[in-house]
Amino acid sequence: MGTYDESDRLAATTIRMLAADAVQQANSGHPGLPLGAADMALVLWTRYLKHNPADPAWPDRDRFVLSAGHGSALLYSLLHLNGYDMPLEEVKRFRQWESATPGHPEYDPQRGVETTTGPLGQGFGNSVGMALAERLLAARFNREGFPIVDHYTYVLASDGDLMEGLSHEAASFAGHYGLSRLIVLYDDNHISIDGSTDLSFSDNAIERFAGYGWHTQRADGHDMQAVDAALAAAREVTDRPSIIACRTHIGYGSPRQDSAKVHGSPLGEEDLRKTKEYYGWDPEARFYVPEAVREYFAQVQEAGADRQAEWEALFSAYEAAYPDLAAQWELHVRGELPAGWEQQLPVFSDEKPVATRVASGKVLDAIAPSLITLVGGSADLTPSNNTLPKGGQVVSRGDYGGMYVHYGVREHGMGAIMNGLALHGMRPYGGTFLIFSDYMRPTLRLAAMMGLPVVYVYTHDSIGLGEDGPTHQPVEHLTALRAIPNLLLIRPADANETAAAWKVALKRKTGPTALALTRQDLPVVTPPGDILAKGAYVLAEAQGGPPQVVLLATGSEVSIALGAQKLLAEAGIRARVVSMPCWELFDQQPEAYRHQVLPAGVPRVSVEAGVTLAWGRYLGGVPHAALGIDHYGASAPYKTIYQEFGLTPEKAAEAARRLVS
Amino acid sequence: MGTYDESDRLAATTIRMLAADAVQQANSGHPGLPLGAADMALVLWTRYLKHNPADPAWPDRDRFVLSAGHGSALLYSLLHLNGYDMPLEEVKRFRQWESATPGHPEYDPQRGVETTTGPLGQGFGNSVGMALAERLLAARFNREGFPIVDHYTYVLASDGDLMEGLSHEAASFAGHYGLSRLIVLYDDNHISIDGSTDLSFSDNAIERFAGYGWHTQRADGHDMQAVDAALAAAREVTDRPSIIACRTHIGYGSPRQDSAKVHGSPLGEEDLRKTKEYYGWDPEARFYVPEAVREYFAQVQEAGADRQAEWEALFSAYEAAYPDLAAQWELHVRGELPAGWEQQLPVFSDEKPVATRVASGKVLDAIAPSLITLVGGSADLTPSNNTLPKGGQVVSRGDYGGMYVHYGVREHGMGAIMNGLALHGMRPYGGTFLIFSDYMRPTLRLAAMMGLPVVYVYTHDSIGLGEDGPTHQPVEHLTALRAIPNLLLIRPADANETAAAWKVALKRKTGPTALALTRQDLPVVTPPGDILAKGAYVLAEAQGGPPQVVLLATGSEVSIALGAQKLLAEAGIRARVVSMPCWELFDQQPEAYRHQVLPAGVPRVSVEAGVTLAWGRYLGGVPHAALGIDHYGASAPYKTIYQEFGLTPEKAAEAARRLVS
């Protein structure tokens, strides 16, 4: 247990003052958390956190997650003082256009920002994924005498984080999996935006986390010694995650201490001055860092550099002893997959009809063995999502060598944990029904915003799931997912497009991909190969002349469009069928290609088992019809539902005939 | 405490056999839960549940919520045997087209189905809203000697329900508010779809709920006496909700007992026969109800009718003693608001600019006092959402006379609780930032599917929120909400459209309404009145001749369109401005009106601070441009962001000029 003196207190004060100045300068932001949490942050960052600001990418660094992202000014203070690439100029530009200091922390690994936080609960969930990744990597890469993966994940979480349902899913998961390298500092300040937490929140959080199997402690969050002792005790626990409820006072030392008013508004010049007086600071000083504090943090930084140097030496010896493993490690660190993995992708031909979820399972069977960083899973729908590859070992408490995670009925938790896995260099995919993408939607947005290569395996993607009925039948979800910037939604028409979809998804390094897959069998109608790279393509050209009508479809409705094409041919009408598995990729193609696929002046009919809201994007400017479902589904065998809702080759052909005549 | 004999066991067996037969007949469904939970359901339904199947709408009935909706066959068995309008023919048509017995229970108050369940956690959340509604109504209507509101809400919940984050938010809320009329039977069967719950779930649920301040018990779920005793004890608790962890065996009595295989697949003919043999049932009998069991339930039904008769007598006396209150009660029961409430709506004119969130607050100030069933709230953003009306009393533990609920940082919980409030005849509205609509999205869908008149107050509806940055700036959410069938999304252009929006929202009885409101001030540019009824309208006609271009906009961008119109007029171009606050209402107008607003052949420019994905719907067929934001936002003062992203009158005018020339 460490001891603390004036130099530590001065450092903590400096953290506070920088943060308060930043908020005041921006005239916007949250001073309450930095003032309240600076003491525990100081203990953690100077005595426990293993990091080297000179190399923020050091793979074996401890991770720090500010789950309470509204306290961003605290993080920017810490990063600046610790010597990260966070110059004082940027702290002064807090919350301004194109600054490095946005209102809530945005994933910025080169500056030490480990994840994007702000939407409450998300950082907490990410941290569980990071702590899991640490164990998965340790199981894969560590060897006797070579603990090259050996670090902790620390979280600073707020009341709000713990109120969010996501915290339940992630904490219950972490408890089940015994993630002992996860240590949460809970900033227990008794205040939320609406006022005292007495208004809405009376959980005994410690008892609740004990129910999840966590190690729990309480500490005075302004007593550095006490926080230090609790952290030391937490690190001794080797079979469970730890939470330390640190009683703090929001806005500590300001005239607004213990009030909701200090949560999300600047102190104002007068209260800022009074706060500085409380801390014995020059009330007129702004963005001031005493030389002694500079020296204090320089020492901390030096210690961090030394630790990385030790690790680098260890890694060199490891590289000599285990060159193959070390090579795989390097690939992992660069976020790359081993060369040639795509050659394992199966080809489907002369097959009987197969559901795309089944085809997806066959793809995983084929490729999973060669991808050491691939981590699969499902939110308790493994047999339905076909996500567990043949021979895939299951991860369990104390045994992290496997590649498959039973996430439980925790879609939101799965999403946040997958983001944490991806942030830590793993390649996660996770399954649930497409309908339940709604349960995890906030995590998709963050994966897309951060550019994380997460893959969502969304099966049962339409009314085609049949008897489970409208509560389980997505109709609006394809559109709602297409609306998320930087998320690719791929809805393959058959088994071959499914293999191509996985190729796109796993080769993608700049953002997440959602696969929408069928429960029901589909005939194999597309050729194998790179058919998906352009997002949409002419699958079946009109015969005997230029097309008189273009049929556009995605997923299971491509077969319906092909059936309509046949009916139209019998009626002497030339129709082209365009398969459009991925709108986003199609939209990125040059105009010439898009016009080639969708020729000007030729009428179009779209067929998709979902809302037609956004199809105007591809139908405008020519006579057109949109076949879809602008209402909820029904519980019945799926063929009946398709029939009753008019999604059939006959109806599609009829619509096309009307346009042509 | 009751005693149980062979007649009870025979009744429970009949429940099981009907459910198993229904699943087998459909060759689809979930037999495991009905076989496992029939014993506790029997105890609850025959000894405790206060209901009268002859009048499912009796307002003071106990509510029963099958949160584990996949066990729908259990519910249909119970409804049939108890004499609800659930004929055996419908049980036989389980999961078939247009049957009364869909795969998961769908809200059907005339048949005793109290809410739509299936997506896990939702029924649990609804039940918290129902239990809250019971207390709110009791506080409003009960008078000394006249407990006209005096009932319980019972829930049957599964492992899956308790794994969902929603259960945390709702349970923590129920514990905080001391909702003692809420009693949860937890079907603790140790099995989920992926297999044993040991794979993913090791919570001590009892300890967790104790942490929420719940009364907790354990019981053997197959020991009717034990379940009865636990229910009796739970009803004695008057300051806390109760949960009873009932240890059961999934698929009890079948050869697949205690296996994941019995969760979601029919038993198959052979195992069905073996199950019947286990229970001493004729293995060949299908959909068989012994006469003794008919008589048994007839007696239960009679007791229920007697209880309602007693209540009716009480209510008659109440009506005589409190005629005004009784009249308000009748309005509540019919789901109507008091005549003339709209007259309280404020009119905004000659005002300085005002944020639509502030205008919304003024609307609530004006109308809340006259609406006795209105229940407001916010997910810990009260001062930002402007949801607490002047003089509005806050609901707290033990004091339910107020109208305002501090939901805490629990968006998903708030959504599910509001659904429960609406199911119980209240008129709930609840606020959060628009970005966090993602956190509660599953509840919006269910409100829309059930046709519940819930109002969502979504403020901070665009990049216009400024410095909080992209994590808090919705860009895809307007489109994602428009995609939900039967949800109205209204994005008012100013204070007057905000008042009109509230009028539409509260007059609506067939589904929910989401209001998207600004943080930033907006000039008042629209006239007061019923301007919103048609969804879109010509706000500012082109001057000096027919329009050469139409500018379409919603919300805060209407002012930008008006600015562009002015710039265009200066350049000699005649532009019309169409305000489109509600797409859904506009789409319902006759084609003639729609063409009048958006004349054929005239170029169009849309301006909305969100993704342009779906604007093709209104832009097709004419030269057009869509101004929007097809990427994430930024952290900076909002005027800077609008400028940098090109959402300005100048850019809109420029786009229009290009189209016209």
Side-chain angles (χ1 to χ4, degrees):
Chain A
M1 190 175 120
T3 57
Y4 292 84
D5 61 20
E6 277 314 308
S7 68
D8 302 291
R9 273 182 282 279
L10 184 67
T13 299
T14 309
I15 293 170
R16 287 185 163 99
M17 297 302 103
L18 275 185
D21 284 344
V23 173
Q24 189 59 36
Q25 173 109 334
N27 197 25
S28 166
H30 301 74
L33 186 139
L35 290 171
D39 297 318
M40 52 185 180
L42 181 99
V43 174
L44 176 64
W45 277 63
T46 62
R47 307 293 176 101
Y48 289 95
L49 198 70
K50 179 173 85 170
H51 63 136
N52 179 11
D55 182 4
W58 175 22
D60 197 39
R61 71 190 180 279
D62 289 341
R63 266 61 171 180
F64 173 76
V65 174
L66 181 67
S67 189
H70 54 272
S72 55
L74 172 72
L75 182 61
Y76 304 141
S77 282
L78 288 164
L79 294 174
H80 170 67
L81 292 171
N82 278 274
Y84 282 86
D85 178 16
M86 182 59 74
L88 203 55
E89 278 316 301
E90 291 298 322
V91 179
K92 291 180 184 174
R93 299 212 312 121
F94 184 51
R95 294 185 155 229
Q96 303 309 303
W97 180 256
E98 292 190 337
S99 75
T101 50
H104 292 81
E106 294 173 26
Y107 177 48
D108 194 349
Q110 290 313 309
R111 286 195 163 91
V113 181
E114 299 281 7
T115 180
T116 297
T117 53
L120 289 169
Q122 298 296 336
F124 185 94
N126 297 163
S127 72
V128 173
M130 293 175 185
L132 176 61
E134 195 268 353
R135 288 294 85 192
L136 296 173
L137 290 168
R140 280 156 178 71
F141 289 107
N142 286 357
R143 289 294 180 271
E144 185 72 33
F146 293 101
I148 62 164
V149 182
D150 181 19
H151 58 266
Y152 284 80
T153 300
Y154 295 100
V155 186
L156 182 59
S158 63
D159 297 312
D161 287 303
L162 297 199
M163 279 195 250
E164 289 289 359
L166 174 51
S167 73
H168 163 59
E169 299 183 16
S172 170
F173 178 96
H176 178 79
Y177 283 94
L179 300 176
S180 64
R181 302 301 188 97
L182 176 65
I183 299 179
V184 176
L185 292 166
Y186 161 35
D187 181 29
D188 186 12
N189 65 27
H190 296 206
I191 295 293
S192 74
I193 291 176
D194 277 4
S196 162
T197 53
D198 291 349
L199 287 174
S200 61
F201 186 58
S202 43
D203 287 12
N204 179 336
I206 286 297
E207 187 171 8
R208 173 188 162 211
F209 275 77
Y212 300 140
W214 283 50
H215 173 253
T216 65
Q217 297 176 84
R218 291 189 190 277
D220 176 348
H222 296 298
D223 178 341
M224 292 182 185
Q225 217 90 28
V227 172
D228 188 306
L231 282 168
R235 288 171 51 106
E236 291 300 309
V237 175
T238 58
D239 60 345
R240 286 171 291 162
S242 254
I243 186 168
I244 307 165
C246 295
R247 177 66 173 108
T248 62
H249 296 274
I250 192 170
Y252 193 65
S254 80
R256 304 176 184 194
Q257 178 180 321
D258 294 321
S259 143
K261 287 204 179 79
V262 75
H263 167 83
S265 307
L267 290 171
E269 290 295 342
E270 190 183 334
D271 281 356
L272 180 60
R273 260 191 299 271
K274 288 184 183 163
T275 306
K276 295 197 170 179
E277 283 165 9
Y278 173 88
Y279 285 104
W281 208 254
D282 175 356
E284 303 309 321
R286 291 291 181 277
F287 299 102
Y288 170 60
V289 181
E291 199 45 46
V293 172
R294 289 267 177 236
E295 281 163 22
Y296 174 98
F297 280 107
Q299 283 177 26
V300 174
Q301 202 180 338
E302 205 173 311
D306 290 348
R307 295 185 76 171
Q308 182 170 359
E310 283 168 33
W311 183 87
E312 298 288 356
L314 180 76
F315 188 80
S316 293
Y318 175 80
E319 207 167 11
Y322 302 100
D324 290 354
L325 266 180
Q328 291 197 54
W329 172 263
E330 294 294 352
L331 272 185
H332 147 66
V333 168
R334 288 202 305 274
E336 286 171 18
L337 298 178
W341 69 269
E342 313 98 285
Q343 264 106 67
Q344 310 299 326
L345 283 166
V347 165
F348 299 87
S349 56
D350 300 329
E351 299 258 347
K352 54 180 187 184
V354 56
T356 49
R357 63 171 171 147
V358 172
S360 169
K362 290 187 177 170
V363 169
L364 290 170
D365 290 346
I367 63 174
S370 50
L371 301 177
I372 192 172
T373 52
L374 194 70
V375 185
S378 164
D380 197 43
L381 288 169
T382 297
S384 299
N385 298 146
N386 298 68
T387 33
L388 176 57
K390 272 188 197 142
Q393 295 299 305
V394 170
V395 175
S396 64
R397 183 191 191 91
D399 181 358
Y400 306 99
M403 63 74 65
Y404 194 79
V405 177
H406 287 291
Y407 285 101
V409 188
R410 304 184 183 102
E411 298 84 4
H412 202 175
M414 177 172 74
I417 291 166
M418 288 201 293
N419 285 352
L421 288 167
L423 286 162
H424 209 304
M426 307 303 288
R427 297 297 305 259
Y429 69 87
T432 184
F433 291 161
L434 177 57
I435 194 91
F436 300 131
S437 61
D438 276 352
Y439 273 71
M440 58 194 294
R441 202 170 155 86
T443 69
L444 271 64
R445 176 173 223 267
L446 286 166
M449 197 183 292
M450 290 191 266
L452 302 178
V454 177
V455 183
Y456 308 102
V457 181
Y458 290 140
T459 70
H460 297 59
D461 75 342
S462 75
I463 51 167
L465 65 84
E467 289 91 340
D468 272 345
T471 56
H472 284 57
Q473 289 164 355
V475 292
E476 71 273 32
H477 299 72
L478 300 172
T479 299
L481 292 174
R482 288 177 184 134
I484 299 178
N486 198 34
L487 171 74
L488 287 194
L489 172 74
I490 308 183
R491 188 165 186 247
D494 70 355
N496 281 323
E497 279 196 6
T498 304
W502 269 106
K503 183 169 175 182
V504 168
L506 288 178
K507 286 184 94 72
R508 186 162 198 238
K509 294 175 81 171
T510 55
T513 305
L515 309 179
L517 305 173
T518 66
R519 172 178 190 252
Q520 74 272 27
D521 287 337
L522 298 178
V524 177
V525 296
T526 74
D530 267 344
I531 45 181
L532 241 158
K534 293 181 176 175
Y537 61 100
V538 178
L539 170 61
E541 186 50 291
Q543 296 299 308
Q548 297 167 277
V549 62
V550 178
L551 304 169
L552 297 76
T554 75
S556 39
E557 286 71 67
V558 170
S559 307
I560 291 175
L562 290 167
Q565 181 189 43
K566 208 171 151 195
L567 292 173
L568 288 165
E570 287 163 14
I573 295 172
R574 300 183 305 274
R576 163 187 290 186
V577 173
V578 170
S579 179
M580 296 199 74
C582 184
W583 289 21
E584 295 85 354
L585 288 176
F586 184 59
D587 289 351
Q588 291 166 15
Q589 301 312 309
E591 195 174 357
Y593 178 74
R594 287 183 282 122
H595 283 183
Q596 186 187 321
V597 174
L598 302 177
V602 183
R604 298 173 199 162
V605 176
S606 68
V607 195
E608 185 174 74
V611 296
T612 58
L613 182 72
W615 274 97
R617 188 173 188 82
Y618 302 114
L619 300 180
V622 293
H624 62 262
L627 271 66
I629 307 177
D630 288 310
H631 49 76
Y632 294 104
S635 172
Y638 79 91
K639 288 179 181 168
T640 305
I641 309 177
Y642 268 92
Q643 198 71 42
E644 294 284 347
F645 287 164
L647 283 182
T648 60
E650 291 73 19
K651 291 283 182 187
E654 195 183 309
R657 255 197 311 269
R658 266 201 305 271
L659 292 176
V660 172
S661 65
Chain B
M1 191 176 120
T3 58
Y4 292 83
D5 62 18
E6 276 314 308
S7 67
D8 301 293
R9 275 181 280 279
L10 185 65
T13 300
T14 309
I15 293 169
R16 288 184 161 98
M17 298 300 104
L18 277 185
D21 285 344
V23 172
Q24 189 59 37
Q25 174 106 336
N27 196 27
S28 167
H30 301 73
L33 185 140
L35 290 170
D39 296 318
M40 52 183 179
L42 182 98
V43 175
L44 176 64
W45 277 64
T46 63
R47 307 293 174 102
Y48 288 95
L49 198 71
K50 179 172 85 169
H51 64 136
N52 179 11
D55 182 5
W58 174 23
D60 196 40
R61 70 189 181 281
D62 288 342
R63 266 60 171 181
F64 173 76
V65 174
L66 180 68
S67 189
H70 54 271
S72 57
L74 172 72
L75 182 61
Y76 303 141
S77 281
L78 288 164
L79 294 174
H80 170 67
L81 292 170
N82 279 273
Y84 282 86
D85 179 15
M86 184 57 77
L88 203 54
E89 278 317 302
E90 291 297 324
V91 180
K92 290 180 184 172
R93 298 212 311 122
F94 183 53
R95 296 185 153 229
Q96 303 308 303
W97 180 256
E98 292 191 336
S99 75
T101 50
H104 292 79
E106 294 174 26
Y107 178 48
D108 193 348
Q110 291 312 309
R111 284 193 165 96
V113 181
E114 299 282 6
T115 181
T116 296
T117 55
L120 288 169
Q122 298 295 337
F124 186 93
N126 298 163
S127 72
V128 173
M130 293 175 184
L132 177 61
E134 196 267 351
R135 287 294 84 192
L136 296 174
L137 289 169
R140 281 157 178 68
F141 290 106
N142 286 359
R143 291 294 178 271
E144 184 71 33
F146 293 103
I148 63 166
V149 182
D150 181 19
H151 58 265
Y152 284 80
T153 300
Y154 295 101
V155 186
L156 182 59
S158 63
D159 296 313
D161 286 304
L162 297 200
M163 277 194 253
E164 289 288 359
L166 175 51
S167 73
H168 163 59
E169 299 184 16
S172 171
F173 178 96
H176 177 79
Y177 282 94
L179 300 176
S180 64
R181 303 301 190 94
L182 175 65
I183 299 177
V184 175
L185 293 165
Y186 161 35
D187 182 28
D188 184 13
N189 66 27
H190 297 206
I191 294 293
S192 72
I193 291 176
D194 277 3
S196 163
T197 52
D198 291 347
L199 287 173
S200 60
F201 186 58
S202 44
D203 287 10
N204 179 336
I206 286 297
E207 188 172 8
R208 173 187 162 211
F209 275 77
Y212 300 140
W214 284 50
H215 174 251
T216 64
Q217 298 177 82
R218 293 188 188 277
D220 176 346
H222 297 297
D223 178 342
M224 293 182 184
Q225 218 89 27
V227 172
D228 188 306
L231 282 168
R235 287 172 51 106
E236 293 299 310
V237 175
T238 59
D239 61 344
R240 287 171 291 163
S242 255
I243 186 167
I244 307 165
C246 295
R247 176 67 173 106
T248 62
H249 296 274
I250 193 169
Y252 193 63
S254 79
R256 303 175 185 195
Q257 180 180 319
D258 293 320
S259 142
K261 288 205 178 78
V262 77
H263 167 83
S265 308
L267 291 170
E269 290 295 342
E270 190 182 332
D271 281 356
L272 180 60
R273 261 193 297 273
K274 287 184 183 161
T275 306
K276 296 197 168 181
E277 283 165 9
Y278 172 88
Y279 285 104
W281 208 254
D282 174 357
E284 303 308 321
R286 290 293 182 276
F287 298 102
Y288 170 61
V289 180
E291 198 46 43
V293 172
R294 290 268 177 233
E295 283 163 22
Y296 174 97
F297 280 106
Q299 283 177 23
V300 173
Q301 201 179 340
E302 207 172 310
D306 290 348
R307 295 186 76 173
Q308 182 170 359
E310 282 167 34
W311 183 88
E312 298 288 354
L314 179 76
F315 188 79
S316 294
Y318 175 80
E319 206 165 15
Y322 302 100
D324 290 353
L325 267 179
Q328 291 197 54
W329 172 262
E330 294 294 351
L331 272 185
H332 147 66
V333 168
R334 289 201 304 273
E336 288 171 15
L337 297 179
W341 69 270
E342 311 98 286
Q343 264 106 65
Q344 311 299 326
L345 284 166
V347 165
F348 299 86
S349 55
D350 299 330
E351 300 255 352
K352 55 180 189 186
V354 56
T356 50
R357 64 172 171 145
V358 172
S360 170
K362 291 187 177 173
V363 169
L364 290 170
D365 290 346
I367 64 174
S370 50
L371 301 177
I372 191 172
T373 52
L374 194 70
V375 184
S378 165
D380 197 44
L381 288 169
T382 297
S384 299
N385 299 147
N386 298 68
T387 33
L388 176 57
K390 272 185 197 144
Q393 295 298 306
V394 171
V395 175
S396 64
R397 184 190 191 92
D399 181 359
Y400 306 99
M403 63 74 64
Y404 194 79
V405 178
H406 286 292
Y407 284 102
V409 189
R410 302 184 183 103
E411 298 83 6
H412 202 175
M414 177 172 75
I417 291 167
M418 288 202 291
N419 285 351
L421 288 167
L423 286 163
H424 209 303
M426 308 303 289
R427 296 298 303 262
Y429 69 87
T432 185
F433 291 161
L434 177 57
I435 195 91
F436 300 131
S437 61
D438 276 353
Y439 273 71
M440 58 194 293
R441 203 171 154 86
T443 70
L444 271 64
R445 176 173 223 265
L446 286 166
M449 197 184 292
M450 291 192 264
L452 303 178
V454 176
V455 183
Y456 308 102
V457 181
Y458 290 140
T459 70
H460 296 58
D461 74 342
S462 75
I463 50 166
L465 66 83
E467 290 90 341
D468 272 346
T471 57
H472 285 58
Q473 289 165 353
V475 292
E476 71 273 32
H477 299 74
L478 300 172
T479 300
L481 292 174
R482 288 177 184 133
I484 299 178
N486 197 36
L487 171 73
L488 288 194
L489 172 74
I490 307 183
R491 188 165 186 249
D494 68 357
N496 281 322
E497 278 195 8
T498 304
W502 270 105
K503 183 168 175 182
V504 167
L506 287 177
K507 286 184 92 73
R508 186 163 199 235
K509 294 175 78 170
T510 55
T513 305
L515 309 180
L517 305 173
T518 64
R519 171 176 190 255
Q520 75 272 30
D521 287 337
L522 298 179
V524 177
V525 296
T526 75
D530 266 345
I531 46 181
L532 239 158
K534 293 180 175 174
Y537 62 99
V538 179
L539 169 62
E541 186 51 292
Q543 296 299 309
Q548 295 167 278
V549 62
V550 178
L551 305 170
L552 297 76
T554 75
S556 39
E557 286 71 68
V558 171
S559 307
I560 292 176
L562 289 168
Q565 182 189 41
K566 209 171 150 196
L567 293 173
L568 289 165
E570 287 164 15
I573 295 172
R574 299 182 304 276
R576 164 187 288 186
V577 173
V578 170
S579 178
M580 296 198 74
C582 184
W583 289 21
E584 296 84 353
L585 288 176
F586 184 60
D587 289 351
Q588 290 165 17
Q589 303 310 310
E591 196 176 356
Y593 178 75
R594 287 183 281 122
H595 282 182
Q596 188 186 318
V597 174
L598 302 177
V602 183
R604 297 173 199 162
V605 177
S606 68
V607 194
E608 186 175 74
V611 296
T612 58
L613 182 73
W615 273 98
R617 187 173 190 81
Y618 302 114
L619 301 180
V622 291
H624 62 262
L627 270 66
I629 308 177
D630 289 309
H631 49 75
Y632 295 104
S635 173
Y638 79 91
K639 286 179 184 170
T640 306
I641 310 178
Y642 268 91
Q643 198 71 42
E644 294 284 347
F645 288 165
L647 283 183
T648 59
E650 290 73 21
K651 291 283 181 186
E654 190 183 313
R657 256 197 310 268
R658 265 202 304 269
L659 293 175
V660 172
S661 65

